[in-house]
Coordinates of all heavy atoms in Angstrom, one line a residue:
M1 N 72.0 105.0 94.2 CA 72.9 106.2 94.0 C 74.1 106.0 95.0 O 73.9 105.8 96.2 CB 72.2 107.5 94.3 CG 73.0 108.7 94.1 SD 72.0 110.2 94.3 CE 73.0 111.2 95.3
S2 N 75.3 106.2 94.5 CA 76.5 106.1 95.3 C 76.6 107.3 96.2 O 76.3 108.4 95.9 CB 77.7 106.0 94.4 OG 78.9 106.1 95.2
T3 N 77.1 107.0 97.4 CA 77.4 108.1 98.4 C 78.9 108.3 98.5 O 79.3 108.9 99.4 CB 76.8 107.7 99.8 OG1 77.4 106.5 100.2 CG2 75.3 107.6 99.8
A4 N 79.6 107.8 97.5 CA 81.1 108.0 97.5 C 81.4 109.5 97.7 O 80.9 110.4 97.0 CB 81.7 107.5 96.2
G5 N 82.3 109.8 98.6 CA 82.7 111.1 98.8 C 81.9 111.9 99.8 O 82.3 112.9 100.3
R6 N 80.7 111.4 100.2 CA 79.8 112.0 101.2 C 80.1 111.4 102.6 O 80.4 110.2 102.7 CB 78.4 111.9 100.8 CG 78.0 112.9 99.7 CD 76.5 113.0 99.5 NE 76.0 111.8 98.8 CZ 74.7 111.4 98.9 NH1 73.9 112.0 99.7 NH2 74.4 110.3 98.3
W7 N 79.9 112.2 103.6 CA 80.2 111.7 104.9 C 79.1 110.8 105.4 O 77.9 111.2 105.3 CB 80.4 112.9 105.9 CG 81.6 113.7 105.6 CD1 81.7 114.9 104.9 CD2 82.9 113.3 105.9 NE1 83.0 115.3 104.8 CE2 83.8 114.4 105.4 CE3 83.5 112.2 106.6 CZ2 85.2 114.3 105.6 CZ3 84.9 112.2 106.7 CH2 85.7 113.2 106.2
I8 N 79.4 109.7 106.0 CA 78.5 108.7 106.5 C 78.8 108.4 107.9 O 80.0 108.1 108.3 CB 78.6 107.4 105.7 CG1 78.4 107.7 104.2 CG2 77.6 106.4 106.2 CD1 78.7 106.5 103.3
D9 N 77.8 108.4 108.8 CA 77.9 108.1 110.2 C 78.0 106.6 110.3 O 77.0 105.9 110.0 CB 76.7 108.7 110.9 CG 76.8 108.4 112.4 OD1 77.6 107.6 112.9 OD2 76.0 109.1 113.2
V10 N 79.1 106.1 110.8 CA 79.2 104.6 110.9 C 79.3 104.0 112.3 O 79.1 102.8 112.4 CB 80.5 104.2 110.1 CG1 80.2 104.3 108.6 CG2 81.7 104.9 110.5
A11 N 79.6 104.8 113.3 CA 79.8 104.2 114.6 C 79.9 105.3 115.6 O 80.2 106.5 115.3 CB 81.0 103.3 114.6
A12 N 79.8 104.9 116.9 CA 80.2 105.8 118.0 C 81.6 105.5 118.3 O 82.1 104.4 118.3 CB 79.3 105.4 119.2
V13 N 82.3 106.6 118.6 CA 83.8 106.4 119.0 C 83.9 105.4 120.1 O 84.8 104.6 120.2 CB 84.4 107.7 119.3 CG1 85.8 107.5 119.8 CG2 84.4 108.7 118.2
A14 N 82.9 105.5 121.1 CA 83.0 104.6 122.3 C 82.8 103.1 121.9 O 83.1 102.3 122.7 CB 81.9 105.0 123.2
D15 N 82.3 102.8 120.7 CA 82.1 101.4 120.3 C 83.4 100.8 119.8 O 83.4 99.6 119.4 CB 81.0 101.3 119.2 CG 79.7 101.6 119.8 OD1 79.5 101.5 121.0 OD2 78.7 101.8 119.0
L16 N 84.4 101.6 119.6 CA 85.7 101.2 119.0 C 86.7 101.0 120.1 O 87.3 101.9 120.7 CB 86.2 102.2 118.0 CG 85.2 102.6 116.9 CD1 85.9 103.6 116.0 CD2 84.7 101.4 116.2
P17 N 87.1 99.7 120.4 CA 88.1 99.5 121.5 C 89.5 100.0 121.0 O 89.8 99.8 119.8 CB 88.1 98.0 121.6 CG 86.9 97.5 120.9 CD 86.5 98.5 119.9
D18 N 90.2 100.6 121.9 CA 91.5 101.1 121.5 C 92.4 99.9 121.1 O 92.5 98.9 121.7 CB 92.1 101.8 122.7 CG 93.3 102.6 122.3 OD1 93.6 102.8 121.1 OD2 94.0 103.1 123.3
G19 N 93.1 100.1 120.0 CA 94.1 99.1 119.5 C 93.4 97.9 118.9 O 94.0 96.8 118.8
D20 N 92.2 98.1 118.4 CA 91.5 97.0 117.8 C 90.8 97.4 116.5 O 90.8 98.6 116.1 CB 90.4 96.4 118.8 CG 90.2 94.9 118.6 OD1 90.6 94.4 117.5 OD2 89.5 94.4 119.4
V21 N 90.2 96.4 115.8 CA 89.5 96.7 114.5 C 88.0 96.2 114.7 O 87.7 95.2 115.3 CB 90.2 95.9 113.4 CG1 90.3 94.4 113.7 CG2 89.5 96.2 112.1
V22 N 87.2 97.0 114.0 CA 85.7 96.7 114.1 C 85.2 96.9 112.6 O 85.6 97.8 111.9 CB 85.0 97.7 115.0 CG1 83.5 97.6 114.8 CG2 85.4 97.5 116.4
G23 N 84.3 96.0 112.2 CA 83.8 96.1 110.9 C 82.5 96.8 110.8 O 81.7 96.7 111.8
R24 N 82.2 97.5 109.7 CA 80.9 98.2 109.5 C 80.7 98.1 108.0 O 81.6 97.8 107.2 CB 81.0 99.6 109.9 CG 80.9 99.9 111.4 CD 79.6 99.6 112.0 NE 79.5 100.0 113.4 CZ 79.8 99.3 114.4 NH1 80.3 98.1 114.2 NH2 79.7 99.8 115.6
V25 N 79.4 98.3 107.6 CA 79.1 98.4 106.2 C 78.6 99.8 105.9 O 77.8 100.4 106.6 CB 78.0 97.4 105.8 CG1 77.5 97.6 104.3 CG2 78.4 96.0 106.0
A26 N 79.2 100.5 104.9 CA 78.9 101.9 104.6 C 78.8 101.9 103.1 O 79.7 101.5 102.3 CB 80.0 102.8 105.1
D27 N 77.7 102.5 102.6 CA 77.4 102.6 101.1 C 77.6 101.2 100.5 O 78.1 101.1 99.4 CB 78.4 103.6 100.5 CG 78.0 104.0 99.1 OD1 76.8 103.8 98.8 OD2 78.9 104.4 98.4
G28 N 77.2 100.1 101.2 CA 77.2 98.8 100.6 C 78.6 98.2 100.6 O 78.9 97.2 100.0
R29 N 79.6 98.9 101.2 CA 81.0 98.5 101.2 C 81.4 98.1 102.6 O 81.2 98.9 103.5 CB 81.8 99.6 100.6 CG 83.2 99.3 100.2 CD 83.6 100.4 99.2 NE 85.0 100.5 99.1 CZ 85.6 101.3 98.2 NH1 84.9 102.0 97.4 NH2 86.9 101.3 98.1
E30 N 82.1 97.0 102.7 CA 82.6 96.6 104.0 C 83.8 97.4 104.3 O 84.8 97.5 103.5 CB 82.9 95.1 104.1 CG 81.6 94.3 104.1 CD 81.9 92.8 104.3 OE1 82.8 92.5 105.1 OE2 81.3 92.0 103.5
V31 N 83.8 98.1 105.5 CA 85.0 98.8 105.9 C 85.4 98.4 107.3 O 84.7 97.8 108.0 CB 84.6 100.4 106.0 CG1 84.3 100.9 104.6 CG2 83.5 100.6 106.9
A32 N 86.7 98.6 107.5 CA 87.3 98.3 108.8 C 87.6 99.6 109.5 O 88.2 100.5 108.9 CB 88.6 97.4 108.6
L33 N 87.2 99.7 110.8 CA 87.5 100.9 111.6 C 88.5 100.5 112.6 O 88.4 99.5 113.3 CB 86.3 101.4 112.2 CG 85.1 101.7 111.3 CD1 83.9 102.1 112.1 CD2 85.4 102.8 110.3
Y34 N 89.5 101.4 112.8 CA 90.6 101.2 113.8 C 90.7 102.4 114.7 O 90.7 103.5 114.3 CB 91.9 101.0 113.1 CG 91.9 100.1 111.9 CD1 91.6 100.6 110.6 CD2 92.3 98.8 111.9 CE1 91.6 99.9 109.5 CE2 92.3 98.0 110.8 CZ 92.0 98.5 109.6 OH 92.0 97.7 108.5
R35 N 90.8 102.1 116.0 CA 91.1 103.2 116.9 C 92.5 103.0 117.5 O 92.8 101.9 118.0 CB 90.1 103.1 118.1 CG 90.3 104.3 119.0 CD 89.1 104.3 120.0 NE 89.4 105.3 121.1 CZ 88.6 105.4 122.1 NH1 87.6 104.6 122.3 NH2 88.9 106.3 123.1
L36 N 93.3 104.0 117.3 CA 94.6 104.0 117.8 C 94.8 105.2 118.7 O 95.0 106.4 118.3 CB 95.7 104.1 116.7 CG 95.6 103.0 115.6 CD1 96.7 103.3 114.5 CD2 95.9 101.6 116.2
G37 N 94.5 105.0 120.0 CA 94.5 106.1 120.9 C 93.3 107.1 120.6 O 92.2 106.7 120.6
D38 N 93.7 108.3 120.4 CA 92.6 109.3 120.1 C 92.2 109.4 118.7 O 91.4 110.2 118.3 CB 93.1 110.7 120.6 CG 93.2 110.8 122.1 OD1 92.5 110.1 122.8 OD2 94.0 111.7 122.6
E39 N 92.9 108.6 117.8 CA 92.7 108.7 116.4 C 91.9 107.5 115.9 O 92.0 106.4 116.5 CB 94.0 108.8 115.6 CG 94.8 110.0 115.9 CD 96.1 110.0 115.1 OE1 97.0 109.2 115.4 OE2 96.2 110.8 114.2
V40 N 91.1 107.7 114.9 CA 90.4 106.6 114.2 C 90.7 106.6 112.7 O 90.8 107.7 112.1 CB 88.8 106.8 114.4 CG1 88.1 105.8 113.7 CG2 88.5 106.8 115.9
F41 N 90.8 105.4 112.2 CA 91.2 105.3 110.8 C 90.2 104.3 110.1 O 89.6 103.5 110.9 CB 92.6 104.8 110.6 CG 93.6 105.7 111.2 CD1 94.0 105.5 112.5 CD2 94.1 106.8 110.5 CE1 94.9 106.4 113.1 CE2 95.0 107.7 111.0 CZ 95.4 107.5 112.4
A42 N 90.0 104.4 108.8 CA 89.1 103.5 108.1 C 89.8 103.0 106.8 O 90.4 103.8 106.1 CB 87.8 104.2 107.8
T43 N 89.6 101.7 106.6 CA 90.1 101.2 105.3 C 89.0 100.2 104.8 O 88.1 99.9 105.5 CB 91.4 100.3 105.5 OG1 91.1 99.1 106.2 CG2 92.5 101.1 106.2
D44 N 89.2 99.8 103.5 CA 88.4 98.6 103.1 C 88.7 97.5 104.0 O 89.8 97.3 104.6 CB 88.8 98.3 101.6 CG 88.1 99.1 100.6 OD1 87.2 99.9 101.0 OD2 88.4 98.9 99.4
A45 N 87.6 96.6 104.1 CA 87.8 95.5 105.1 C 88.4 94.3 104.4 O 88.9 93.4 105.1 CB 86.4 95.2 105.7
T46 N 88.3 94.2 103.1 CA 88.8 93.0 102.4 C 90.2 93.1 102.0 O 90.6 94.1 101.4 CB 87.9 92.7 101.2 OG1 86.5 92.6 101.6 CG2 88.3 91.4 100.5
C47 N 91.0 92.1 102.4 CA 92.4 92.1 102.0 C 92.6 92.1 100.5 O 91.8 91.5 99.8 CB 93.1 90.8 102.6 SG 94.8 90.7 102.3
T48 N 93.6 92.8 100.0 CA 93.9 92.9 98.6 C 94.5 91.7 98.0 O 94.6 91.5 96.8 CB 94.8 94.1 98.2 OG1 96.0 94.0 98.9 CG2 94.1 95.4 98.7
H49 N 94.9 90.8 98.9 CA 95.5 89.5 98.4 C 94.5 88.4 98.2 O 94.7 87.6 97.2 CB 96.6 89.0 99.4 CG 97.2 87.8 99.1 ND1 97.1 86.6 99.8 CD2 98.1 87.5 98.0 CE1 97.8 85.6 99.2 NE2 98.4 86.1 98.2
G50 N 93.5 88.3 99.0 CA 92.5 87.3 98.9 C 91.2 87.7 99.5 O 91.0 88.8 99.9
N51 N 90.4 86.7 99.7 CA 89.0 87.0 100.2 C 89.0 86.8 101.7 O 88.3 85.9 102.2 CB 88.0 86.1 99.5 CG 86.6 86.6 99.8 OD1 86.4 87.7 100.2 ND2 85.6 85.7 99.7
A52 N 89.8 87.6 102.4 CA 89.8 87.5 103.8 C 89.4 88.9 104.4 O 89.8 89.9 103.9 CB 91.2 87.2 104.3
S53 N 88.7 88.9 105.5 CA 88.3 90.1 106.2 C 89.4 90.5 107.2 O 89.7 89.7 108.1 CB 87.0 90.0 106.9 OG 86.7 91.2 107.6
L54 N 89.8 91.7 107.0 CA 90.8 92.3 108.0 C 90.2 92.5 109.3 O 90.9 92.7 110.3 CB 91.4 93.5 107.4 CG 92.2 93.4 106.1 CD1 92.6 94.7 105.6 CD2 93.4 92.5 106.3
C55 N 88.8 92.5 109.4 CA 88.2 92.6 110.7 C 88.4 91.5 111.6 O 88.2 91.6 112.8 CB 86.7 92.8 110.5 SG 86.3 94.3 109.5
G56 N 88.9 90.4 111.1 CA 89.3 89.2 111.9 C 90.8 89.2 112.1 O 91.3 88.2 112.6
G57 N 91.5 90.3 111.7 CA 92.9 90.3 111.8 C 93.4 90.9 113.1 O 92.6 91.1 114.1
F58 N 94.6 91.2 113.2 CA 95.2 91.7 114.4 C 95.9 93.0 114.2 O 96.7 93.2 113.3 CB 96.3 90.7 114.9 CG 95.7 89.3 115.0 CD1 95.8 88.4 113.9 CD2 95.1 88.9 116.1 CE1 95.3 87.1 114.0 CE2 94.5 87.6 116.2 CZ 94.6 86.7 115.1
V59 N 95.5 94.0 115.1 CA 96.2 95.3 115.1 C 97.5 95.2 115.8 O 97.5 94.8 117.0 CB 95.3 96.4 115.7 CG1 96.0 97.7 115.8 CG2 94.0 96.5 114.9
E60 N 98.6 95.5 115.1 CA 99.9 95.4 115.7 C 100.3 96.7 116.4 O 99.8 97.8 116.1 CB 100.9 95.1 114.7 CG 100.6 93.8 113.9 CD 100.8 92.6 114.8 OE1 101.4 92.7 115.9 OE2 100.3 91.5 114.4
P61 N 101.2 96.7 117.4 CA 101.6 97.9 118.1 C 102.2 99.0 117.2 O 102.2 100.1 117.6 CB 102.6 97.4 119.1 CG 102.3 95.9 119.3 CD 101.8 95.5 118.0
D62 N 102.7 98.6 116.0 CA 103.3 99.6 115.1 C 102.3 100.3 114.3 O 102.6 101.1 113.4 CB 104.4 98.9 114.3 CG 103.8 97.9 113.3 OD1 102.6 97.6 113.3 OD2 104.6 97.3 112.5
G63 N 101.0 100.0 114.5 CA 100.0 100.7 113.7 C 99.7 100.0 112.4 O 99.2 100.6 111.4
S64 N 99.9 98.7 112.3 CA 99.6 97.9 111.1 C 98.5 96.9 111.5 O 98.3 96.6 112.6 CB 100.8 97.2 110.5 OG 101.3 96.3 111.5
I65 N 97.8 96.4 110.4 CA 96.8 95.4 110.6 C 97.4 94.1 109.9 O 97.8 94.2 108.7 CB 95.4 95.8 110.0 CG1 94.4 94.7 110.1 CG2 95.5 96.3 108.5 CD1 93.9 94.4 111.5
E66 N 97.3 93.0 110.6 CA 97.8 91.8 110.0 C 96.6 90.9 109.5 O 95.7 90.7 110.3 CB 98.6 91.0 111.0 CG 99.2 89.7 110.5 CD 99.9 88.9 111.5 OE1 99.2 88.2 112.3 OE2 101.1 88.9 111.6
C67 N 96.6 90.6 108.3 CA 95.6 89.7 107.7 C 95.6 88.4 108.4 O 96.6 87.8 108.6 CB 95.8 89.6 106.2 SG 94.5 88.5 105.4
P68 N 94.4 87.9 108.7 CA 94.3 86.6 109.4 C 94.7 85.4 108.5 O 94.9 84.3 109.1 CB 92.9 86.5 110.0 CG 92.1 87.3 109.0 CD 93.0 88.4 108.6
L69 N 94.6 85.6 107.2 CA 94.8 84.4 106.3 C 96.2 84.1 106.0 O 96.7 82.9 106.2 CB 94.0 84.6 105.0 CG 93.7 83.4 104.2 CD1 93.1 82.3 105.0 CD2 92.8 83.7 103.0
H70 N 97.0 85.0 105.5 CA 98.4 84.8 105.2 C 99.4 85.7 105.9 O 100.5 85.9 105.5 CB 98.6 84.8 103.7 CG 97.7 84.0 102.9 ND1 96.8 84.4 102.0 CD2 97.6 82.6 102.9 CE1 96.1 83.4 101.5 NE2 96.5 82.3 102.0
Q71 N 98.8 86.5 106.8 CA 99.7 87.3 107.7 C 100.3 88.5 106.9 O 101.3 89.0 107.3 CB 100.8 86.5 108.4 CG 100.2 85.7 109.5 CD 99.5 84.4 109.0 OE1 100.0 83.7 108.2 NE2 98.2 84.3 109.4
G72 N 99.7 88.9 105.8 CA 100.2 90.1 105.2 C 99.8 91.3 106.1 O 98.8 91.3 106.8
R73 N 100.7 92.4 106.0 CA 100.4 93.5 106.9 C 100.3 94.8 106.1 O 101.0 95.0 105.2 CB 101.5 93.7 108.0 CG 101.4 92.6 109.1 CD 102.4 92.9 110.2 NE 103.8 92.9 109.7 CZ 104.5 94.0 109.6 NH1 104.0 95.2 110.0 NH2 105.7 94.0 109.1
F74 N 99.3 95.6 106.5 CA 99.1 96.9 105.9 C 99.3 98.0 106.9 O 98.9 97.8 108.1 CB 97.6 97.1 105.4 CG 97.2 96.1 104.3 CD1 96.6 94.9 104.6 CD2 97.5 96.4 102.9 CE1 96.2 94.0 103.6 CE2 97.1 95.5 102.0 CZ 96.4 94.3 102.3
D75 N 99.8 99.2 106.5 CA 99.8 100.3 107.4 C 98.4 100.8 107.5 O 97.8 101.2 106.5 CB 100.7 101.4 106.8 CG 100.9 102.6 107.7 OD1 99.9 103.2 108.2 OD2 102.1 102.9 108.0
I76 N 97.9 100.9 108.7 CA 96.5 101.4 108.9 C 96.3 102.8 108.5 O 95.2 103.1 108.0 CB 96.1 101.2 110.4 CG1 96.0 99.7 110.7 CG2 94.9 102.0 110.8 CD1 95.8 99.4 112.2
R77 N 97.3 103.6 108.7 CA 97.1 105.1 108.4 C 97.1 105.3 106.8 O 96.4 106.2 106.4 CB 98.2 105.9 109.0 CG 98.1 105.9 110.5 CD 99.3 106.6 111.2 NE 99.1 106.8 112.6 CZ 99.3 105.9 113.5 NH1 99.7 104.7 113.2 NH2 99.1 106.2 114.8
T78 N 97.9 104.6 106.1 CA 98.1 104.9 104.7 C 97.6 103.8 103.8 O 97.4 104.0 102.6 CB 99.6 105.0 104.4 OG1 100.3 103.8 104.6 CG2 100.2 106.1 105.2
G79 N 97.3 102.6 104.3 CA 96.9 101.5 103.5 C 98.0 100.8 102.8 O 97.8 99.8 102.0
K80 N 99.3 101.3 103.0 CA 100.4 100.7 102.3 C 100.6 99.2 102.6 O 100.6 98.9 103.8 CB 101.7 101.5 102.6 CG 102.9 101.1 101.8 CD 104.0 102.1 101.9 CE 105.2 101.6 101.1 NZ 105.0 101.2 99.8
A81 N 100.8 98.4 101.6 CA 101.2 97.0 101.8 C 102.6 96.9 102.3 O 103.5 97.5 101.6 CB 101.0 96.2 100.5
L82 N 102.8 96.3 103.4 CA 104.1 96.3 104.1 C 105.0 95.1 103.8 O 106.2 95.1 104.1 CB 104.0 96.5 105.6 CG 103.3 97.8 106.0 CD1 103.1 97.8 107.5 CD2 104.1 99.0 105.6
C83 N 104.4 94.0 103.4 CA 105.2 92.8 103.3 C 104.5 91.8 102.3 O 103.4 92.0 101.9 CB 105.4 92.1 104.6 SG 103.9 91.6 105.4
E84 N 105.2 90.7 102.0 CA 104.6 89.7 101.2 C 103.6 88.9 102.0 O 103.7 88.9 103.2 CB 105.8 88.7 100.7 CG 106.7 89.4 99.8 CD 107.8 88.4 99.3 OE1 107.9 87.2 99.8 OE2 108.5 88.7 98.4
P85 N 102.6 88.3 101.4 CA 102.4 88.2 100.0 C 101.7 89.3 99.3 O 101.3 89.2 98.2 CB 101.6 86.9 99.9 CG 100.7 87.0 101.1 CD 101.6 87.6 102.2
L86 N 101.5 90.4 100.0 CA 100.7 91.5 99.5 C 101.4 92.2 98.3 O 102.6 92.5 98.4 CB 100.4 92.6 100.6 CG 99.8 92.0 101.8 CD1 99.7 93.1 102.9 CD2 98.4 91.4 101.5
E87 N 100.7 92.6 97.3 CA 101.2 93.3 96.1 C 100.5 94.6 95.9 O 101.0 95.5 95.2 CB 101.1 92.4 94.9 CG 102.0 91.2 95.0 CD 101.9 90.4 93.7 OE1 101.0 90.6 92.9 OE2 102.7 89.5 93.6
R88 N 99.3 94.8 96.5 CA 98.5 96.0 96.3 C 98.1 96.6 97.6 O 97.8 95.9 98.6 CB 97.2 95.7 95.5 CG 97.4 95.3 94.1 CD 96.2 95.2 93.3 NE 95.3 94.2 93.8 CZ 94.0 94.4 94.2 NH1 93.5 95.6 94.1 NH2 93.3 93.4 94.6
D89 N 98.2 97.9 97.6 CA 97.8 98.7 98.8 C 96.3 98.6 99.1 O 95.5 98.2 98.2 CB 98.2 100.2 98.7 CG 99.7 100.3 98.6 OD1 100.5 99.4 99.0 OD2 100.2 101.4 98.2
L90 N 95.9 99.0 100.3 CA 94.5 98.9 100.7 C 93.9 100.3 100.6 O 94.6 101.3 100.9 CB 94.5 98.5 102.2 CG 93.3 98.0 102.8 CD1 92.6 96.8 102.2 CD2 93.6 97.7 104.3
A91 N 92.7 100.4 100.1 CA 92.0 101.7 100.1 C 91.7 102.2 101.5 O 91.3 101.5 102.4 CB 90.7 101.6 99.3
V92 N 92.1 103.5 101.7 CA 91.8 104.1 103.0 C 90.7 105.2 102.8 O 90.6 105.8 101.7 CB 93.1 104.8 103.6 CG1 94.1 103.8 103.9 CG2 93.6 105.8 102.7
H93 N 89.9 105.4 103.8 CA 88.8 106.4 103.7 C 89.0 107.5 104.7 O 89.5 107.2 105.8 CB 87.5 105.6 103.9 CG 87.3 104.4 103.1 ND1 87.1 104.5 101.7 CD2 87.3 103.1 103.4 CE1 87.0 103.3 101.2 NE2 87.1 102.4 102.2
A94 N 88.6 108.7 104.3 CA 88.8 109.8 105.2 C 87.8 109.6 106.4 O 86.7 109.1 106.3 CB 88.4 111.1 104.5
V95 N 88.3 110.1 107.6 CA 87.6 109.9 108.8 C 87.4 111.3 109.5 O 88.4 112.1 109.5 CB 88.3 109.0 109.8 CG1 87.6 109.0 111.2 CG2 88.4 107.6 109.3
R96 N 86.3 111.6 110.0 CA 86.0 112.8 110.8 C 85.3 112.4 112.1 O 84.4 111.6 112.1 CB 85.1 113.7 110.0 CG 84.9 115.1 110.5 CD 84.1 115.9 109.6 NE 82.7 115.7 109.8 CZ 81.7 116.0 108.9 NH1 82.0 116.5 107.8 NH2 80.4 115.8 109.2
L97 N 85.8 112.9 113.2 CA 85.1 112.6 114.5 C 84.3 113.8 114.9 O 84.8 115.0 114.9 CB 86.2 112.3 115.6 CG 87.1 111.1 115.2 CD1 88.1 110.9 116.4 CD2 86.3 109.9 114.9
E98 N 83.0 113.6 115.2 CA 82.2 114.8 115.6 C 81.1 114.3 116.5 O 80.4 113.3 116.2 CB 81.6 115.3 114.3 CG 80.9 116.7 114.4 CD 80.5 117.2 113.0 OE1 81.4 117.5 112.2 OE2 79.3 117.3 112.8
G99 N 81.0 115.0 117.6 CA 79.9 114.6 118.6 C 80.0 113.2 119.1 O 78.9 112.6 119.4
G100 N 81.2 112.7 119.2 CA 81.3 111.3 119.7 C 81.0 110.2 118.6 O 81.0 109.1 118.9
R101 N 80.8 110.7 117.4 CA 80.5 109.8 116.3 C 81.7 109.7 115.3 O 82.4 110.7 115.2 CB 79.2 110.2 115.6 CG 78.0 110.3 116.4 CD 77.5 109.0 117.0 NE 77.2 108.1 115.9 CZ 76.7 106.8 116.2 NH1 76.5 106.4 117.4 NH2 76.5 106.0 115.2
V102 N 81.7 108.6 114.6 CA 82.7 108.4 113.6 C 82.1 108.6 112.2 O 81.1 107.8 111.9 CB 83.4 107.1 113.6 CG1 84.4 106.9 112.5 CG2 84.0 106.8 115.0
W103 N 82.5 109.5 111.4 CA 82.0 109.7 110.1 C 83.1 109.4 109.1 O 84.3 109.7 109.3 CB 81.6 111.2 109.8 CG 80.5 111.7 110.7 CD1 80.6 111.9 112.1 CD2 79.1 111.9 110.3 NE1 79.4 112.3 112.5 CE2 78.5 112.3 111.5 CE3 78.5 111.8 109.1 CZ2 77.1 112.7 111.5 CZ3 77.1 112.1 109.1 CH2 76.4 112.5 110.3
I104 N 82.8 108.7 108.0 CA 83.8 108.4 107.0 C 83.3 108.8 105.6 O 82.1 108.9 105.4 CB 84.2 106.9 107.0 CG1 83.0 106.0 106.5 CG2 84.7 106.4 108.3 CD1 83.5 104.6 106.3
A105 N 84.2 109.2 104.8 CA 83.9 109.5 103.4 C 84.5 108.3 102.5 O 85.7 108.2 102.5 CB 84.5 110.8 103.0
I106 N 83.6 107.6 102.0 CA 84.0 106.4 101.2 C 84.8 106.9 99.9 O 84.3 107.7 99.2 CB 82.8 105.5 100.8 CG1 82.2 104.9 102.0 CG2 83.2 104.5 99.7 CD1 82.9 103.8 102.6
R107 N 85.9 106.3 99.7 CA 86.7 106.6 98.5 C 86.1 105.8 97.4 O 85.8 104.6 97.5 CB 88.1 106.2 98.7 CG 89.0 106.5 97.6 CD 90.5 106.3 98.1 NE 91.1 105.5 97.1 CZ 92.4 105.0 97.2 NH1 93.0 105.3 98.3 NH2 92.9 104.3 96.3
A108 N 85.8 106.4 96.3 CA 85.2 105.7 95.1 C 86.1 104.6 94.7 O 87.4 104.7 94.8 CB 85.0 106.7 94.0
A109 N 85.5 103.5 94.4 CA 86.3 102.3 93.9 C 87.0 102.8 92.6 O 86.5 103.6 91.8 CB 85.4 101.2 93.6
S110 N 88.2 102.2 92.4 CA 89.0 102.6 91.2 C 88.2 102.2 90.0 O 87.5 101.2 89.9 CB 90.3 101.9 91.2 OG 90.1 100.5 91.3
G111 N 88.2 103.1 89.0 CA 87.4 102.9 87.8 C 86.0 103.4 87.9 O 85.2 103.3 86.9
A112 N 85.5 103.8 89.1 CA 84.2 104.2 89.3 C 84.0 105.7 88.8 O 84.9 106.4 88.8 CB 83.8 104.1 90.7
Ligands
LIG1 FE1 95.3 88.6 103.2 FE2 96.4 86.5 101.8 S1 94.3 87.0 102.0 S2 97.4 88.0 103.1

């Protein structure tokens, strides 16, 4: 049974280094967690251009994540594809911080 839309505990806030990306699996889906100062964001972990994990990418000072394979960049907050070769935005998931834990609500896959 899918847990899409339900809150899932995925990490301790303290496990997320500031300005970096960490991978987790939630509801069978690989997600990337990003900590930018006091805020935490979550997106799908797989680049929309190819089969590369953004968890091996680089968080840029402007709040974007650079794919390690072809250097496409996404806005971490919105998932918007910012440059070539990217043509599709990245799915972002809602994040809630509670009791030092990171909870995310997985966005249903398109067509689900
Ligand atoms: Fe990410 Fe090509 S696989 S930019």
